[in-house]
Amino acid sequence: MIGITDIENAAERIAGHVVRTPTVPSPGLSALLGAPVTAKLELLQRTGSFKARGATARLLALNGAERAAGVVAVSGGNHGIALAVMAAALDVKATVVMPRSAPARSVEIVREAGASVQLTDDMDGAFSLVTRLRDEGLTLVHPFDDPVVIAGQGTVGLEFAEDSDDLTDVLVSVGGGGLIAGVAAALRARRPGLRIWGVETEGAEAMSRALAAGGPVPVPLSSIVSTLSAPSVSQLTYDHVSALVTEVLVVPDREAVRGSLELADHAKVWAEPAAGCLLPAARRVLERVGEGARLGLVVCGGNATTGDVLDWSERFGLR
């Protein structure tokens, strides 16, 4: 299990490379949801998502041989962007494997940063290819099955705890579970009474199915939210979530896209559906916990184009 000392050490290492993102009360979301809401704006992070934290922590921990070999990652978008940009900044050669379903703009950003991109037909194929490339000698920077990466993501929770002291419930999006594992470890250490809720989208339910099964299991992927689409969680992230998280909620893709539109209208931030899914989940949390709740939302990323969101909105009849 990742401890608070691991996260504090990661914060010191990455401090000169990443942004300490704002933690702000949101009057618009508070009015929309009927309860006080504080947002941790990770979409303002370098590379547009929290992923820069874990990628930087891992890159800074490379030994000489690992650095010389070059790094490889698998990604539905944000981890690839983070690794490509931060590897370029640290002068490390990077390869990123992505499914063809990844947003076109994300693939473009990875290429523009100087990384080599390899595309596969689906996310299962992407994970298989990255395993082969690792076996051939590249240094794997896993998006979530790595304690160094999780400690880096945990710095989100460390900052949230330091910058907001009156929360009762914090909601965190879940793909492979690296973000929520790190955030939960930090918040449980600094704010033991907090309830922490994970949020997935239908068709990307790796953690909720793992919890039901008693451990990681492979899951079919069908969600439009590629940045949450992990074919399974890891034992490491499962262990953290099963021990530290109240529950993982699952919301439909349509409601995640609606949440992105609501974040734009009411919070004045442009967030991807991986963050938009927090709003329908927040309504369910408020129904469950009743009066007196004070919500914290980790707005994890903003790497969706206006065209992406408009296309999804039309698909789901939201325009």
Side-chain angles (χ1 to χ4, degrees):
M1 297 285 283
I2 304 303
I4 190 64
T5 301
D6 300 311
I7 297 169
E8 291 169 341
N9 290 340
E12 290 182 10
R13 287 197 307 272
I14 69 176
H17 302 276
V18 302
V19 177
R20 185 187 177 96
T21 55
T23 302
V24 296
S26 175
L29 292 181
S30 298
L32 177 69
L33 296 176
V37 176
T38 300
K40 177 65 168 162
L41 298 179
E42 280 297 295
L43 78 175
L44 300 181
Q45 181 55 257
R46 189 171 181 179
T47 78
S49 84
F50 72 93
K51 291 285 192 177
R53 296 172 182 266
T56 301
R58 187 66 183 88
L59 288 166
L60 291 173
L62 295 175
N63 62 36
E66 291 171 331
R67 185 182 179 90
V71 296
V72 64
V74 59
S75 174
N78 288 341
H79 180 60
I81 292 172
L83 186 73
V85 171
M86 302 313 298
L90 295 169
D91 196 27
V92 179
K93 184 178 180 180
T95 298
V96 179
V97 181
M98 307 177 79
R100 298 185 193 282
S101 60
R105 179 57 183 153
S106 296
V107 177
E108 183 181 355
I109 293 170
V110 171
R111 286 194 171 119
E112 288 175 349
S116 171
V117 177
Q118 297 201 34
L119 297 177
T120 62
D121 289 337
D122 53 31
M123 188 61 86
D124 288 328
F127 272 86
S128 296
L129 177 55
V130 83
T131 299
R132 179 167 65 80
L133 293 173
R134 179 203 63 192
D135 292 343
E136 291 175 357
L138 296 182
T139 303
L140 177 62
V141 179
H142 199 283
F144 53 86
D145 192 20
D146 186 320
V148 176
V149 171
I150 291 175
Q153 319 302 30
T155 61
V156 175
L158 190 66
E159 293 174 13
F160 214 166
E162 291 172 351
D163 296 342
S164 183
D165 61 1
D166 63 347
L167 303 176
T168 62
D169 298 86
V170 172
L171 287 84
V172 185
S173 306
V174 181
L179 176 62
I180 196 169
V183 168
L187 290 177
R188 286 295 191 198
R190 291 294 182 89
R191 300 281 182 269
L194 274 177
R195 291 177 294 254
I196 302 165
W197 305 80
V199 187
E200 295 177 318
T201 51
E202 291 179 358
E205 301 161 52
M207 187 61 76
S208 54
R209 295 205 182 183
L211 292 170
V217 292
V219 296
L221 298 173
S222 59
S223 175
I224 65 163
V225 188
S226 64
T227 51
L228 296 185
S229 295
S232 71
V233 300
S234 69
Q235 188 67 46
L236 183 61
T237 56
Y238 168 81
D239 288 344
H240 283 77
V241 171
S242 61
L244 302 174
V245 173
T246 301
E247 188 176 339
V248 176
L249 306 173
V250 181
V251 304
D253 278 352
R254 184 178 192 274
E255 294 308 305
V257 175
R258 185 197 297 274
S260 290
L261 298 175
E262 290 177 331
L263 283 166
D265 287 340
H266 297 275
K268 313 307 178 188
V269 296
W270 185 258
E272 60 196 65
C277 67
L278 298 177
L279 292 191
R283 293 183 173 96
R284 288 166 59 183
V285 168
L286 290 172
E287 290 174 359
R288 293 270 292 277
V289 304
E291 294 184 5
R294 298 180 298 279
L295 303 182
L297 306 181
V298 177
V299 185
C300 56
N303 288 322
T305 67
T306 53
D308 290 333
V309 176
L310 291 176
D311 287 347
W312 291 324
S313 299
E314 289 181 357
R315 182 189 309 184
F316 293 120
L318 297 173
R319 295 181 65 229

